[in-house]
Amino acid sequence: AMEEVCAKFVSQKISKTRWRPLPAAALHPPDVFATGSWDNEDNRISVWSVGDLGNAGINGEYQGEPQLLCDIRHNGDVMDMQFLDQERIVVASSTGTVTVFRHHQNNQTLSANHRWERAHYHVDQDTSCGGAACTGIICNNPEIVTVGEDGRINLFRADQKDAVRTIDNADSSTLHAVTFLRTTEILTVNSIGQLKIWDLRQQRNEPSQIFSLTGDRVPLHCVDRHPNQQHIVATGGQDGMLSIWDIRQGTIPVSLLNAHEAEMWEVHFHPSNPDHLFTCSEDGSLWHWDTSTDVSEKPSFLHQGGRSTAYFSHNTINHSVVSAWLSNDPTKDRMEITNLIPNQTLSVNSLDILGSCLVYGTDAEAIYVNRQLFA
C-alpha cells in the first residue's frame, strides 16, 4: 500500500500543529497549517502549505512534502496556538506573553499584530523576572481565553488592548488547558486532576462546578469537548489515561480508559465525526479511537503498514449514535484503537485533525501530514 503519511524534517522541536480553518463554504480539504516550536535556541511560528500530494513519483511515493510559506521568530517556547480566524493565529508563550500573529496571504509574511505582555506572571506584573508560562488558549472570535502556570484566567478580545476580564486566583495550582463549553462558559483542567467550569457572565471569581479524578490527583494536561454534545468532555493526563466525563452528572469521570504509557499531551474529538477521537503522547504514539458502529465491517485500511489494531472492551462504551462515549451497556462495548505511528520514537507533542487530514509534530524535529485518514 502506498504510505499516505508525508514527513518534513525541520530543525526545530515542534510543540504545536494546527490546521488553518476552512472558510464556511470550502469544498477542498485543508491545505495550510501552522506550527510552533519549543526548546530551541530560536523558536518560530511557521505557516506551511501541504504541498501537492497529487503527484505520485515513479515508485508511488509522494513528491509533495509540506512547503514553508513563511515564518517569524517567537520569544519563548510555544505552549499553545489557536487560529482566531483565517488570518490570525494566537500564540501562548512560556514567558507569559500572548501574541496575535497575522498571516498575510498576499505576500506570504507573518507579523505580530497584537501582544499582551505578561498576560501571566508569578509575583506582580512589574517585576522583570516574574513571567509565568501561558499554558493554554482557546478562541471563539473575537474572544480569546488564556490560562497559565499562575492559576490565572484571562478573557481578551482581539481588538482590545486590555483584558476584558481576569480571574486572578482562579486556581491555586497550574492550569494546563482550557476549552469553551458554550459561548459564556469555559472549562479548565489543572495539575491536581480537577476540571472546573467557569461562567463568564458571573462576576464572582469562583467556578460554578468542580469535578475531579478520584485517588491520586493526577495532573491533567489536555481537554476537548465533544462538538455536538457539549456535556461530553475528554481529558488526558500525566499517567496517559483517557478520561471521559459527563458534566451533567456526578463529579467523577464516567470512564477511565487505559491509553498511553506516558503523559498524554493532546486529545481531540474529530470536529465533524466525533465517534473518532485522537490522542498523542510523550511515549511517541498517536492513537485513533474509533467508536463508530460496525467495527467488524471496517475497510482494511486500518491494518496496513504494520499498524497494531487492538479491540478493547470497556463497559462504558457502546455504539448508540446518541453518545458512543457514555453508555454503560457492556453487551455492545467494542472500540477499535489504532496506533497511527508504528515506529515510536520521541514525544508526539501535538496533533490536529480536520476532514480526513491529520497533522502532528514531534520532538524528533519533524512534522507529519496524513491526508487520507479515512481512505
Side-chain angles (χ1 to χ4, degrees), residues 46-308:
S46 308
V47 177
W48 307 82
S49 152
V50 291
D52 181 13
L53 293 186
N55 300 333
I58 304 161
N59 301 322
E61 80 283 6
Y62 284 125
Q63 303 293 66
E65 59 172 30
Q67 302 295 315
L68 180 65
L69 296 177
C70 49
D71 65 353
I72 192 169
R73 189 151 176 255
H74 178 263
N75 191 13
D77 292 340
V78 173
M79 304 293 288
D80 199 4
M81 179 165 75
Q82 300 290 337
F83 274 88
L84 181 67
D85 54 27
Q86 300 279 301
E87 290 174 353
R88 288 176 296 175
I89 308 167
V90 188
V91 181
S93 172
S94 57
T95 65
T97 295
V98 175
T99 310
V100 182
F101 290 97
R102 187 178 285 276
H103 174 212
H104 305 273
Q105 296 173 38
N106 52 350
N107 61 357
Q108 293 304 343
T109 56
L110 275 164
S111 64
N113 188 233
H114 188 81
R115 197 173 266 129
W116 292 283
E117 298 283 353
R118 290 241 255 268
H120 295 272
Y121 52 91
H122 279 306
V123 198
D124 59 85
Q125 234 164 337
D126 305 321
T127 47
S128 59
C129 57
C134 177
T135 49
I137 291 179
I138 194 78
C139 300
N140 184 13
N141 191 4
E143 299 196 316
I144 299 163
V145 175
T146 72
V147 297
E149 246 172 33
D150 52 0
R152 189 174 272 108
I153 299 172
N154 291 304
L155 172 61
F156 296 111
R157 220 161 256 132
D159 41 18
Q160 291 181 21
K161 190 158 115 1
D162 297 316
V164 178
R165 170 100 189 265
T166 294
I167 305 178
D168 264 329
N169 299 304
D171 212 299
S172 54
S173 59
T174 295
L175 289 170
H176 279 141
V178 58
T179 191
F180 275 103
L181 286 178
R182 41 184 70 83
T183 48
T184 55
E185 269 187 330
I186 58 167
L187 185 144
T188 57
V189 297
N190 71 11
S191 61
I192 56 170
Q194 294 174 321
L195 276 68
K196 296 183 183 180
I197 296 178
W198 306 84
D199 186 338
L200 297 173
R201 290 165 305 189
Q202 300 287 336
Q203 280 315 300
R204 58 197 191 98
N205 294 340
E206 302 290 324
S208 53
Q209 270 179 287
I210 300 180
F211 302 80
S212 57
L213 291 171
T214 45
D216 294 336
R217 292 155 81 94
V218 174
L220 291 171
H221 288 299
C222 53
V223 58
D224 196 27
R225 190 204 80 204
H226 190 291
N228 319 334
Q229 295 170 291
Q230 296 172 331
H231 54 280
I232 301 177
V233 170
T235 63
Q238 185 89 26
D239 56 2
M241 295 279 277
L242 173 65
S243 309
I244 305 292
W245 310 71
D246 181 348
I247 60 173
R248 296 169 309 182
Q249 50 175 306
T251 56
I252 58 172
V254 290
S255 59
L256 283 169
L257 305 176
N258 274 315
H260 302 278
E261 287 162 33
E263 292 90 343
M264 184 188 295
W265 292 131
E266 287 195 1
V267 55
H268 293 286
F269 284 102
H270 189 289
S272 53
N273 196 350
D275 284 347
H276 298 266
L277 178 114
F278 298 83
T279 59
C280 63
S281 167
E282 179 72 28
D283 69 10
S285 61
L286 192 160
W287 286 17
H288 173 188
W289 306 68
D290 179 0
T291 64
S292 58
T293 347
D294 43 355
V295 171
S296 53
E297 293 162 27
K298 276 281 150 52
S300 61
F301 77 96
L302 285 171
H303 304 282
Q304 68 193 29
R307 294 175 171 178
S308 54

